[in-house]
Amino acid sequence: SQTIHQWPATLVQPVGSPLSLECTVEGTSNPNLYWYRQAAGRGLQLLFYSVGIGQISSEVPQNLSASRPQDRQFILSSKKLLLSDSGFYLCACSWKGGSYGYTFGSGTRLTVV
Amino acid sequence: GIQVEQSPPDLILQEGANSTLRCNFSDSVNNLQWFHQNPWGQLINLFYIPSGTKQNGRLSATTVATERYSLLYISSSQTTDSGVYFCAASGGSYIPTFGRGTSLIVHP
C-alpha cells in the first residue's frame, strides 16, 4: 500500500519569508500527486497536481508554486509568503489506474505572521 | 466539472445513536470516496465506492451511481467518530471534487 510522508507538521513563518513543503511517497511508482489547501471553514482547495516528473498543473493562480523533481517527490514553494497563505496544506497521491482512490499525507499547518 | 453536495452540514449525536450522511453528485462518476478528517486534520480513507455497498465494522457505505448519490451509515456512534466527513467524486478526469463536508460531533 502507498504511504505519504509530509513535513513539517507545523510551521510558523513571517510574512515575506520563503516556503518549502515536501511530500514523498512510498509503495507506488509513477503516481499522480496533488497539493491541497484547507482554510478555516473546512473546504479543500486543489492547488497543484502532477502526472509525472516535471509536469505541474496549477488549478488556482496564487503566490505558490510546485515542483516534482523525482517520481515520488512533490514540493510546494513560495518565494515570499503572504498572510493569506496561512492554512492547512495536504499532499495526496493516487494510482494512475484510479482504482484505489486517493491517499492523503498528515498535513502541514502553516501560520504566516 | 462534477458538483458534489453533502448533507447535513452539521450533525450532533449522543453516543450510541445511528446516522446517515448523504452525498449527491451531478454527473456519472468512476471514483467516489468517503473520508474522515480527525481532530488533528488527517484525512483517513474510509471507503472507495464508485458503486455498490461496502461495510467496515460500524461503518457502511452505499453508492447508487444511476441515481447519483452515496450514503455513509454510522451505527452505534462513538466519541471517536467525531470529525468532518468528506465525500469526493470524479468522472472522466482523475481529479476529484470534494464536497464541503459534514461536521459530526458525538457526545458521551
Side-chain angles (χ1 to χ4, degrees):
Chain A
S1 63
Q2 50 199 0
T3 304
I4 299 181
H5 300 282
Q6 193 179 340
W7 67 92
T10 60
L11 192 58
V12 180
Q13 292 284 99
V15 168
S17 65
L19 173 73
S20 180
L21 301 180
E22 188 163 343
C23 166
T24 59
V25 179
E26 289 182 4
T28 185
S29 59
N30 196 27
N32 294 329
L33 297 174
Y34 312 82
W35 278 110
Y36 283 86
R37 178 169 61 197
Q38 187 178 35
R42 69 185 192 230
L44 282 159
Q45 180 186 37
L46 178 64
L47 301 176
F48 301 96
Y49 66 93
S50 171
V51 299
I53 296 174
Q55 300 178 63
I56 308 295
S57 296
S58 173
E59 286 293 297
V60 182
Q62 51 204 299
N63 185 39
L64 301 168
S65 62
S67 61
R68 185 170 177 176
Q70 300 180 41
D71 180 46
R72 289 176 283 182
Q73 184 185 29
F74 205 23
I75 298 172
L76 183 69
S77 305
S78 173
K79 292 182 179 177
K80 289 186 178 181
L81 283 168
L82 306 172
L83 287 173
S84 58
D85 292 324
S86 294
F88 189 53
Y89 290 83
L90 288 151
C91 179
C93 74
S94 66
W95 279 318
K96 287 286 190 298
S99 300
Y100 299 97
Y102 263 30
T103 299
F104 279 88
S106 54
T108 295
R109 200 165 298 279
L110 171 67
T111 303
V112 182
V113 296
Chain B
I2 290 178
Q3 307 298 313
V4 177
E5 293 184 0
Q6 291 186 243
S7 59
D10 300 279
L11 190 56
I12 300 174
L13 299 174
Q14 227 28 60
E15 202 167 28
N18 302 328
S19 62
T20 301
L21 281 58
R22 187 177 180 102
C23 172
N24 292 332
F25 41 92
S26 61
D27 208 340
S28 42
V29 298
N30 53 25
N31 182 356
L32 192 291
Q33 280 185 267
W34 284 97
F35 295 90
H36 174 220
Q37 189 168 34
N38 63 26
W40 297 272
Q42 185 157 15
L43 279 156
I44 309 298
N45 185 7
L46 297 176
F47 294 103
Y48 172 80
I49 187 165
S51 63
T53 297
K54 291 185 178 179
Q55 180 156 8
N56 184 4
R58 296 181 296 103
L59 302 181
S60 64
T62 295
T63 296
V64 183
T66 53
E67 298 187 21
R68 298 180 182 170
Y69 72 88
S70 183
L71 302 174
L72 177 69
Y73 305 97
I74 304 174
S75 64
S76 304
S77 58
Q78 301 176 358
T79 56
T80 52
D81 294 330
S82 297
V84 182
Y85 290 80
F86 288 99
C87 166
S90 60
S93 162
Y94 48 79
I95 299 174
T97 299
F98 282 80
R100 289 197 54 80
T102 293
S103 176
L104 173 64
I105 298 174
V106 181
H107 290 302

